[in-house]
Amino acid sequence: MAMSAGRSAFVLDDDADEATVIAAHQEGLRVVRGVLRRVWIDAISDRPWPQQAQDPLRALLDLAALRHTGDTGIEVDVGDDDQFDLVVALSPFTISAEGWAESDEQIYSASDTGTSLWMALTPREHSELRERLLTRGADPNAVIPQPPRRRPWWTFSLTPA
């Protein structure tokens, strides 16, 4: 993904505990809210929705019904506190949530029912996220720079040199 100058890609460490995973999703969204212009979330999970997600899930499905959309790709109004709070509550548990900046640059992605988190953050946003994680008692070192991508195994030559 191409990123604008000043933003770097961050991901969630595979070893993060559950409380840190939830906090990283939620606080990451809060940190980038000011630059988010469009957000979509799926009201689908690969596992049963936890108790704390039940009320926000019902509210998101009600919103989708009002807009005559299905349970996938529900767009929320980032400027509406109640709608934004639904994304914050459900992001750690959905199969997909995406956040885009005004420049049509993706800066937030949550997927795989909480196990995958990607964010494009400025140094100031990353610092703020670390502070927010500390305040919640979560591991601030669990959000790490995205490692360089490796070439897929099938692109290597199988012919001896």
Side-chain angles (χ1 to χ4, degrees):
M1 281 180 215
M3 281 179 283
S4 64
R7 290 197 174 274
S8 299
F10 289 87
V11 295
L12 195 55
D13 187 327
D14 291 338
D15 295 330
D17 62 51
E18 183 180 10
T20 297
V21 168
I22 292 169
H25 280 261
Q26 295 176 337
E27 298 307 327
L29 275 166
R30 289 181 177 118
V31 164
V32 298
R33 182 180 185 183
V35 293
L36 285 173
R37 293 298 167 256
R38 302 188 79 179
V39 174
W40 290 272
I41 187 164
D42 291 349
I44 301 172
S45 182
D46 290 332
R47 296 185 296 233
W49 291 92
Q51 186 58 44
Q52 73 261 32
Q54 294 298 321
D55 289 340
L57 177 62
R58 274 191 291 284
L60 183 66
L61 290 171
D62 289 347
L63 180 65
L66 283 173
R67 294 183 180 168
H68 306 289
T69 63
D71 56 2
T72 59
I74 302 163
E75 187 170 357
V76 293
D77 179 352
V78 179
D80 180 298
D81 290 343
D82 291 336
Q83 289 184 35
F84 185 76
D85 287 347
L86 297 178
V87 177
V88 170
L90 298 174
S91 179
F93 312 108
T94 183
I95 61 165
S96 181
E98 295 181 359
W100 298 78
E102 189 69 47
S103 62
D104 283 333
E105 172 186 19
Q106 186 174 14
I107 59 172
Y108 184 87
S109 174
S111 58
D112 300 330
T113 313
T115 59
S116 182
L117 176 63
W118 177 92
M119 295 175 283
L121 302 173
T122 65
R124 186 186 69 61
E125 290 166 344
H126 182 242
S127 178
E128 182 181 343
L129 176 57
R130 290 178 55 81
E131 289 173 22
R132 286 173 168 272
L133 291 174
L134 274 170
T135 299
R136 283 189 57 173
D139 180 3
N141 298 316
V143 176
I144 59 172
Q146 182 177 19
R149 291 209 168 125
R150 295 188 181 117
R151 282 182 22 195
W153 66 269
W154 61 86
T155 63
F156 292 102
S157 172
L158 299 177
T159 311

